[in-house]
Amino acid sequence: MWLINSSIGRKVIMSVTGMALILFMTFHCCMNVAALFSGEAYNTICELLGANWYAVAATIALGALAVCHIVYAFILTAQNRRARGSERYAVTAKPEKVEWASQNMLVLGLIVVLGLGLHLFNFWYKMMFAELVGMETALPPTDGFGLMKETFSNPVYVVLYIVWLVALWFHLSHGFWSAMQTIGVNGKVWFNRWKIIGTVYVTLLILAFVVVVLAFFFGCAPSLCCAA
Ligand code: HEM
C-alpha cells in the first residue's frame, strides 16, 4: 500500500499523526490553563475524563497515534541513513541553512519520549490507571489539581519539565514546518507564512505549559492564592 511502502506515504503518516498530537496538546493545554483559575473546575474535568469508557477509548487512540508516529520516525531515519550510505561518515562540514532541530529530530524525539514517560508516571499512572485497577494512592485519583500542586512543589520536577518542554518546542516547531512541506503547501510566500504561523502557535502552546508549571511552583495563580 502506497501509504506504508513509499517514502512520501510514510512522511504523510508522520505529518498527520504529528498534527493530531499537536491538536491533543492544544486541548490538554487549555485544560491545564483552567487549573490556574479554578482547582474545582479542573478536578471536575478530571472526573469527567477519569476512567470512563470514552476517556479510556480516547487514551487508547492517543497511544496508537503516538506509537505510529514514533515507529515511523525510526523507519524514516533508518531509510534516510541507508540512502545516504557511507557518505554520512565522509561529511565533515555541516551543510549551511539546515536547522539544528532538523538534524536532531530523533534525539529531540527521544528526550520528548523520556519526558513523556516521566509525565505519564506522574499523572496518568496515579489517576486513570489507579482508578482503573483500584490502586491505593496518596491523593484521590480525580484530584489532578492536588497532584499538580504536589508535583510542581518539587524543583527537580520543575527543571525536568522545563527541559522536556524546551525539547518539545524544538521538535514541534521543526515538525510543523516539515509537515507543511510534506502535505504540499506550495509557493514561497505561503510556505513562509505557514512557517511563521507554526512557530508562533507552537511557541504560545509551549509557553502556556511552562507558565502552568512555574505558576504552581511559585504558587502565583488565582486558584492557588485564593484556595484553602
Ligand atoms: C507541563 C504541564 C502539564 C501538566 C500540568 C499536565 C497534567 C496532566 C494531567 C493532570 C494528566 C492526567 C489527566 C487524567 O488522567 O485525567 C495528564 C495526562 C497526560 N498528559 Fe499531561 N500535563 C502537562 C504537559 C503535557 C505535555 C506537554 C504533553 C504532551 C507532550 C502531555 C501529555 C499527556 C498525555 C499523553 C496524558 C495521558 C492522557 C490520557 O489519559 O488520555 N502533558 N497530564
Side-chain angles (χ1 to χ4, degrees), residues 19-211:
M19 286 299 184
L21 291 168
I22 292 184
L23 265 184
F24 158 77
M25 284 183 66
T26 306
F27 165 75
H28 192 29
C29 180
C30 295
M31 205 177 132
N32 289 350
V33 169
L36 296 180
F37 298 96
S38 162
E40 226 173 279
Y42 185 75
N43 280 355
T44 305
I45 311 175
C46 288
E47 254 173 71
L48 213 72
L49 293 178
N52 297 307
W53 71 265
Y54 47 85
V56 176
T59 300
I60 293 171
L62 187 64
L65 272 178
V67 167
C68 202
H69 190 77
I70 294 164
V71 167
Y72 272 81
F74 278 102
I75 296 177
L76 269 176
T77 306
Q79 183 187 324
N80 288 345
R81 291 201 170 162
R82 257 202 315 275
R84 269 183 271 149
S86 56
E87 243 179 67
R88 185 160 75 91
Y89 303 103
V91 174
T92 47
K94 293 226 167 93
E96 262 178 61
K97 291 193 111 185
V98 174
E99 291 175 44
W100 179 84
S102 155
Q103 293 187 323
N104 295 287
M105 277 306 262
L106 194 67
V107 175
L108 284 169
L110 283 176
I111 299 178
V112 168
V113 169
L114 285 178
L116 187 60
L118 176 74
H119 178 56
L120 292 181
F121 172 72
N122 278 341
F123 291 97
W124 178 80
Y125 176 71
K126 296 175 187 168
M127 295 176 73
M128 186 187 268
F129 182 79
E131 208 179 329
L132 280 174
V133 301
M135 189 172 84
E136 283 279 319
T137 45
L139 289 169
T142 48
D143 188 9
F145 187 73
L147 205 53
M148 274 162 78
K149 275 209 292 199
E150 188 191 273
T151 308
F152 301 125
S153 64
N154 182 340
V156 175
Y157 278 134
V158 172
V159 172
L160 287 177
Y161 267 73
I162 290 183
V163 170
W164 177 45
L165 288 166
V166 169
L168 259 170
W169 182 85
F170 277 110
H171 190 78
L172 296 186
S173 54
H174 173 74
F176 195 100
W177 165 81
S178 177
M180 286 299 132
Q181 257 184 336
T182 303
I183 291 167
V185 172
N186 291 318
K188 205 173 161 40
V189 173
W190 268 105
F191 185 75
N192 285 335
R193 279 182 192 161
W194 271 110
K195 195 172 174 180
I196 294 168
I197 293 169
T199 309
V200 170
Y201 188 82
V202 164
T203 305
L204 291 177
L205 185 68
I206 296 293
L207 263 182
F209 279 115
V210 171
V211 164

Side-chain angles (χ1 to χ4, degrees), residues 3-15:
L3 260 182
I4 295 168
N5 296 330
S6 71
S7 163
I8 183 71
R10 290 177 191 141
K11 280 191 151 209
V12 168
I13 291 187
M14 286 288 298
S15 307

